Amino acid sequence: MPKILPGETDIYAITDPNYSLGRPLEEVVRALLSAGVRIVQYREKKLKAGAMLEECRLLRRLTREADACFIVDDYVDLAILAEADGVHVGQEDLPVPEVRSLVGPDMLIGLSTHKPEQAQAARGLGADYIGVGPIYATHTKEDVVDPVGLQYLDWVHSNIDLPLVAIGGIKEHNIADVARHGARCCCLITDLVGAPDIPAKVAALRKAMRAGQ
Ligand code: 3NM
C-alpha cells in the first residue's frame, strides 16, 4: 500500500497534456511534487500504449522518489506494468471486481461515482475510494454528466463509508466551499496543471481549503 491514500491528503492532481500550457509531462509532475502534492494520477486519452507505458514508468519513478501515490486512469494493464499504487476507473470501464481480479489485493482501486446508487454500491464492489463529481460544470471531460452540486457532496460525506475525493470544476475560487461540504481531498485538472506557477497555485489552493474546513 502507498504511504498516502486518497482522502488523507488535500490535493489530488490529475495530468492532462491538453491543459498543461504545452509544458512536458515531466516538468508538470516535478512541479506538482516539489509543491508537496502527494497523489498524482496519469490521465491520457490520445497516445499509443507504448508511449503511455513509458510515461507511466517515468511518473512511477518521480512519485516514488517523492514518496507520493501514483494512480493510472482507466488502463489496468499500464497500472500493473508500471507498478502503480492504484488504478482509477469510471462507471463504464472494466467493472471493479474484474479489475480487482487483475490487480490483486494491494493495488488501490478508485471508482468515479455520480449518483447515490453508484456511491452506495462502491464498497461492495471492492473500491478503495470514490470520486464524487462533477461538483461543478466542467469541459475537461468529454462524456461528463450534469453537476452533482454541494448538497450531494454533503450527502455522500455523511452516508458513504469510503474515502471520497471531490472532482469537477474545482478551482481556487470555489475550493473552500467544496472543503466546507465535506471534501478533505479535491481532484483538479485545469486549475492546477494549467497554472503558470504550479507551486504558487498549490499553496493558494491549500490556503483556501483550510479556510473552508
Ligand atoms: N472526472 P477539471 S469530472 C476527469 O465527475 C473528471 O468523475 C469527473 O477536470 C467526474 O478539474 C472530471 O478541469 C474533469 O474540471 C475534472
Side-chain angles (χ1 to χ4, degrees), residues 22-63:
R23 293 169 296 197
L25 180 66
E26 176 166 356
E27 181 182 326
V28 169
V29 171
R30 280 190 187 279
L32 290 165
L33 294 171
S34 74
V37 169
R38 306 293 309 279
I39 302 190
V40 176
Q41 181 189 118
Y42 177 75
R43 184 168 185 272
E44 167 60 60
K45 305 285 182 194
K46 293 199 185 120
L47 288 181
K48 302 263 194 235
M52 285 200 276
L53 178 58
E54 260 182 50
E55 290 195 331
C56 284
R57 286 190 165 141
L58 168 67
L59 265 50
R60 172 68 292 182
R61 186 164 55 76
L62 298 177
T63 49

Side-chain angles (χ1 to χ4, degrees), residues 4-12 36 38-39 184-186 206:
I4 191 95
L5 301 172
E8 287 178 2
T9 186
D10 46 6
I11 307 282
Y12 179 145
R38 306 293 309 279
I39 302 190
R184 303 190 73 88
C185 182
C186 292
R206 288 203 157 125

